[in-house]
Amino acid sequence: QVLLQESGPGLIKPSETLSLSCTVSSGSISGYYWSWIRQPPGKDLEWIGNIYYSGDTKFNPSLKSRVTLSVDTSKNQFSLNLSAVTSADTAVYYCARIIWGLYMDVWGKGTTVTVSS
Amino acid sequence: EIVLTQSPDTLSLSPGERATMSCRASENVRISYLAWYQQKPGQAPRLLIYGASSRATGIPDRFSGSGSGTDFTLTISRLEPEDFAVYYCQQYGSSPLTFGPGTKVDI
């Protein structure tokens, strides 16, 4: 059973860049699409973007200008960078495996990120 | 983008009862590209249904999905205590991928 684990700072300041990583264990990152999703407190789930193991990406247009996704197959990891954060970026961030870039069949437990000075 | 609306907001039911919830899309979801997820407090969502009606691996057959076009339904035939949670629909027929606001099933 593939396991995903998010890691990164829990608190960052406004205007900084949020950086999160997701480590894939008990399975290979190769051959699959991977995704980031977030859930602000009391709000809906929001898809951020997908990355294929080869590096191809697709983004939510609402965040595209601020998002960078990368993958490191040697470490079985993929990462999210979100620039110029504001309090609206405070959320639980999930990484997930996304089947053919469509629906998420395995999720990480999520990591809470708070944007505050 | 396709906007998903779920109803009702909350279903108050008892174990053993049938739960039926709706997900309505603002436009046709092509090829019934719709999934359902279950989320319990403090946990990540879990995939239940994809392709509108296909159960994910390990999902009990008391969970069933149906629908096409703009109207989709998730049914739990007989509620077990562990089924009390929030249920989200997600469309993947067009980009961006979008989620509904959820239906909470509580006692």
Side-chain angles (χ1 to χ4, degrees):
Chain A
Q1 168 75 346
V2 172
L3 298 174
L4 306 181
Q5 179 66 60
E6 304 89 351
S7 59
L11 177 66
I12 64 170
K13 293 181 169 53
S15 79
E16 292 185 341
T17 295
L18 164 66
S19 296
L20 296 175
S21 292
C22 182
T23 300
V24 180
S25 57
S26 301
S28 176
I29 202 168
S30 296
Y32 289 95
Y33 289 85
W34 305 91
S35 189
W36 289 96
I37 306 99
R38 69 181 183 178
Q39 188 170 33
K43 295 189 177 181
D44 300 351
L45 293 160
E46 180 180 30
W47 171 68
I48 299 171
N50 297 339
I51 187 165
Y52 194 42
Y53 78 100
S54 63
D56 291 344
T57 54
K58 192 163 191 177
F59 302 105
N60 190 325
S62 67
L63 295 167
K64 184 176 183 177
S65 63
R66 298 195 291 131
V67 173
T68 303
L69 300 182
S70 59
V71 62
D72 187 336
T73 55
S74 67
K75 294 183 179 178
N76 242 26
Q77 276 185 349
F78 60 104
S79 299
L80 163 70
N81 278 1
L82 179 66
S83 64
V85 297
T86 70
S87 58
D89 296 309
T90 293
V92 177
Y93 285 76
Y94 296 99
C95 61
R97 188 174 72 179
I98 181 165
I99 300 301
W100 297 115
L102 302 175
Y103 59 88
M104 299 81 174
D105 73 328
V106 181
W107 294 65
K109 293 183 178 181
T111 187
T112 299
V113 176
T114 302
V115 179
S116 175
S117 55
Chain B
E1 88 179 36
I2 294 180
V3 176
L4 299 178
T5 305
Q6 291 187 242
S7 61
D9 292 338
T10 303
L11 267 176
S12 296
L13 296 168
S14 300
E17 289 191 300
R18 182 184 186 90
T20 302
M21 63 198 79
S22 170
C23 176
R24 180 161 290 177
S26 60
E27 53 190 271
N28 272 356
V29 177
R30 70 181 187 96
I31 321 179
S32 296
Y33 274 176
L34 189 111
W36 289 93
Y37 301 87
Q38 175 194 68
Q39 187 177 33
K40 297 179 183 178
Q43 296 185 19
R46 176 174 74 139
L47 176 68
L48 299 175
I49 301 284
Y50 62 94
S53 60
S54 298
R55 272 187 300 277
T57 303
I59 301 303
D61 60 8
R62 64 180 182 273
F63 291 91
S64 63
S66 64
S68 63
T70 60
D71 291 306
F72 299 87
T73 300
L74 176 69
T75 301
I76 310 170
S77 58
R78 286 178 58 85
L79 282 165
E80 298 288 341
E82 62 269 25
D83 298 338
F84 291 91
V86 179
Y87 293 84
Y88 295 96
C89 57
Q90 177 232 332
Q91 68 79 25
Y92 48 96
S94 65
S95 188
L97 310 181
T98 52
F99 293 85
T103 290
K104 182 178 182 181
V105 178
D106 66 12
I107 299 176

